[in-house]
Amino acid sequence: MTLQPYAAAWEIARGIRGGDLLASDVVDAHLARITAINPQLNAFTDVLRERARSRAAVIDSQRHAGTDPGPLAGVPFAVKNLFDVAGQVTRAGSKINRENAPATDDAELVQRLEAAGAILIGALNMGEYAYDFTGENAHDGACRNPHDLSRMAGGSSSGSGSATAAGLAPLSLGSDTNGSIRVPSSLCGIFGLKPTFGRLTRHGTFPFVDSLDHLGPFARNVSDLATAFDAMQGPDSRDPTVADRPFNTVSAKADRGIDGLRIAVAGGYFDTDGLPDAAAAVTAAAAALNVHQVLDVPGAAAGRAAAFIITNAESAALHQGRLRVRPDDFDPDTRDRFLAGSMLPAGWLVRAQQVRRWYLEQVMALFRNVDVLIAPATPFSAPAIGQKTMLLRGEEMAVRPNLGLFTQPISCIGLPVVAAPMETGSAMPIGVQIIAPPWREDIALRVARHLERTGAAKVRVPDLLPA
Amino acid sequence: MSDDTTFDAEGHMDAMAATLGLSITDAQRPGVIGFLQLAARMNGILEDVPVPVDTLELATVYNVPERAPAGDDA
């Protein structure tokens, strides 16, 4: 069996488990591709050649001895550089954290993916301390979009979106506090899963906003997304937000189709009038799902505002000591936001947490009558690197805080979402959000799989990069 | 939306910077003021939400665990 560029994780695992591929060859092929292509993208900040080759040798030995290495046998993956990797400094996109001691252990989700047979090959670029939707970084440089190198990859999990879209890693992990999995998924044209808040442990990752931080996978197809998610579920008392709930094993459910699901397009706050890219994506999804109902999501603007205040206040508190003594070592684009956040009146934060609960109740009432909401993931396809403002329905707005205006109200209340890349015919990719009730990642993945199977959702091979 | 024009972002910044021991340089002032104004607009949206009066049900919930078994740190 010959390994093709852009091979899916399931293809790689099947080849290795069946004895048709060697993990060592798979790793070498991906490392060679990273060497050739990463200089154009700036997606990887650390490439773990020795570790990956050593791990591949173990997988090959297991296979040779007749032991099944697991459902992700020999699948290379990479992680946003806020995940701890033993022996590496967890930089979290910053300059300051590079002075920290190397991590002594891998993050729990890295351990769980490797326990399923996957192989960590590197750490990925990101916006500083995850306060970003653009993928720009003053210290490491901008991460570039594989579909147009002059455009943003989206953030803050920029390297995750770019690397997986470019075929440098079939799987990657990122974090999503306000949209940082869904925005790069949309701009880079791949699938991303932000699970329910409290589903996946965050142990061994550098925090941004404890009230809102989620972790999740990126992939080029729904099956890979589901397999990775299943491998990462499970309790962890070291992260108090992890819910004591049974597994929702989704890989066996994703192919169940959409019969019986009540699906609606999110209107009101999520209306795409005046946003042709986003409108095309939502229209394509609605057509493929035969959905005609549009439902207002009550309180979405307030949910977005609550997420904004909670993010600003909590993250600034985390960094206040560094802001006091080393403000010049921050990325200027994040520093001024942190400084402002450190000064917010306490009552604003309390009000935001009160509204967050009220808004959750509004949306839970909506879910009595609907199982899935389709919403735009981003207002546009990827802006140009360096672009500071954008015109949104005639109003000029800053790019950095507003690229996630459609994702922010959803993560605010922790709903599970799959970002799916829609085939709209335009040059640059753009995605939709498939939003499900809490703890029902399986429903969002079923809808994503239907869109993928019908061709409405499609991951394109970037024209700019060599096959 | 509630009127947020009464919020003096620049005055607030100067007072809070002194309170918190933060130095805000001339280069940082426009950015910090802009983000404080944006936060004030967001708070204005929150103030307009019709949460029931005299309630304080926050999204942050603190769950007290069971007592540790004897022999552990207790």
Side-chain angles (χ1 to χ4, degrees):
Chain A
M1 177 177 173
T2 305
L3 180 69
Q4 300 295 326
Y6 301 101
W10 66 264
E11 291 175 302
I12 293 170
R14 187 174 66 179
I16 290 172
R17 294 171 101 181
D20 298 320
L21 281 176
L22 288 174
S24 305
D25 292 342
V26 172
V27 162
D28 282 344
H30 282 84
L31 291 175
R33 189 166 171 81
I34 291 167
T35 300
I37 293 176
N38 189 59
Q40 298 176 69
L41 298 177
N42 198 25
F44 279 79
T45 51
D46 307 272
V47 182
L48 306 170
R49 298 176 194 283
E50 282 186 32
R51 172 179 168 141
R53 288 187 171 123
S54 171
R55 173 83 181 136
V58 171
I59 297 289
D60 287 334
S61 296
Q62 287 178 340
R63 171 70 187 86
H64 189 68
T67 304
D68 182 0
L72 292 169
V75 173
F77 75 103
V79 296
K80 186 174 186 175
N81 70 28
L82 56 65
F83 284 74
D84 283 352
V85 175
Q88 304 291 314
V89 174
T90 309
R91 62 173 83 184
S94 70
K95 174 183 176 183
I96 294 171
N97 284 36
R98 281 171 224 207
E99 298 167 15
N100 292 349
T104 54
D105 295 301
D106 293 336
E108 179 63 21
L109 293 191
V110 171
Q111 294 185 39
R112 291 182 183 183
L113 283 185
E114 290 210 323
I119 299 175
L120 182 67
I121 56 170
L124 299 163
N125 205 349
M126 60 176 283
E128 185 183 58
Y129 293 128
Y131 211 166
D132 170 50
F133 286 127
T134 67
E136 297 179 339
N137 183 304
H139 317 299
D140 290 310
C143 181
R144 297 179 180 276
N145 193 307
H147 295 277
D148 181 340
L149 299 175
S150 71
R151 293 185 180 274
M152 295 175 179
S156 63
S157 308
S158 52
S160 310
S162 182
T164 294
L168 306 186
L171 285 176
S172 56
L173 298 183
S175 64
D176 187 318
T177 303
N178 289 295
S180 288
I181 289 175
R182 293 159 287 160
V183 170
S185 293
S186 177
L187 300 192
C188 293
I190 57 174
F191 291 94
L193 169 62
K194 186 207 74 64
T196 310
F197 182 76
R199 175 71 85 180
L200 297 182
T201 176
R202 306 169 302 182
H203 182 75
T205 60
F206 194 83
F208 174 28
V209 179
D210 189 67
S211 295
L212 299 170
D213 286 344
H214 307 66
L215 305 177
F218 296 73
R220 296 176 56 81
N221 64 80
V222 175
S223 176
D224 290 355
L225 208 60
T227 304
F229 175 62
D230 282 348
M232 294 190 290
Q233 294 185 53
D236 189 346
S237 60
R238 297 165 300 181
D239 179 352
T241 65
V242 174
D244 183 17
R245 295 184 61 87
F247 279 43
N248 180 8
T249 308
V250 296
S251 29
K253 299 175 183 169
D255 275 321
R256 289 184 178 174
I258 60 168
D259 286 352
L261 292 180
R262 300 167 298 173
I263 307 173
V265 169
Y269 177 90
F270 296 96
D271 191 279
T272 54
D273 190 32
L275 303 171
D277 292 351
V282 172
T283 300
L289 298 166
N290 196 28
V291 169
H292 304 286
Q293 185 182 23
V294 178
L295 286 179
D296 188 16
V297 180
R304 194 262 174 137
F308 184 98
I309 294 291
I310 293 166
T311 298
N312 205 199
E314 277 194 30
S315 63
L318 175 67
H319 294 291
Q320 191 146 3
R322 286 179 279 270
L323 288 167
R324 197 173 282 131
V325 298
R326 302 184 61 173
D328 293 338
D329 289 333
F330 280 77
D331 186 329
D333 281 337
T334 57
R335 179 197 56 217
D336 294 353
R337 298 179 80 185
F338 283 133
L339 285 169
S342 71
M343 301 173 182
L344 300 190
W348 293 11
L349 178 60
V350 173
R351 181 74 177 184
Q353 290 287 13
Q354 187 178 21
V355 170
R356 185 185 181 205
R357 175 161 297 284
W358 170 88
Y359 168 52
L360 174 63
E361 290 167 0
Q362 310 306 305
V363 176
M364 291 308 290
L366 191 68
F367 276 126
R368 290 195 199 111
N369 303 312
V370 69
D371 301 308
V372 177
L373 291 167
I374 304 296
T378 49
F380 314 106
S381 55
I385 289 172
Q387 185 177 329
K388 295 297 183 191
T389 61
M390 59 188 194
L391 208 57
L392 191 77
R393 299 189 183 108
E395 186 180 351
E396 190 169 31
M397 293 185 176
V399 169
R400 185 168 276 253
N402 287 305
L403 252 183
L405 85 166
F406 290 137
T407 52
Q408 213 161 0
I410 309 304
S411 36
C412 174
I413 47 175
L415 302 176
V417 193
V418 171
M422 298 311 301
E423 188 51 73
T424 65
S426 64
M428 291 299 292
I430 187 165
V432 294
Q433 297 183 88
I434 304 166
I435 304 157
W439 312 110
R440 296 307 304 271
E441 290 86 354
D442 58 312
I443 291 179
L445 287 159
R446 281 168 61 190
V447 174
R449 179 74 182 106
H450 178 85
L451 293 174
E452 180 184 49
R453 192 167 44 208
T454 59
K458 187 175 180 184
V459 174
R460 292 188 214 159
V461 171
D463 293 334
L464 295 168
L465 303 178
Chain B
M1 188 188 300
S2 293
D3 180 13
D4 57 49
T5 56
T6 56
F7 178 67
D8 175 7
E10 187 168 12
H12 182 82
M13 177 187 71
D14 288 335
M16 289 302 295
T19 303
L20 296 168
L22 294 167
S23 302
I24 309 296
T25 66
D26 288 345
Q28 295 163 4
R29 290 179 70 86
V32 177
I33 291 169
F35 282 117
L36 281 171
Q37 289 168 334
L38 180 55
R41 288 197 291 277
M42 294 294 174
N43 182 62
I45 294 171
L46 298 177
E47 290 296 332
D48 285 346
V49 173
V51 294
V53 294
D54 293 334
T55 64
L56 192 61
E57 295 171 358
L58 306 184
T60 47
V61 176
Y62 174 68
N63 291 313
V64 180
E66 296 286 335
R67 175 179 160 173
D72 288 4
D73 294 336

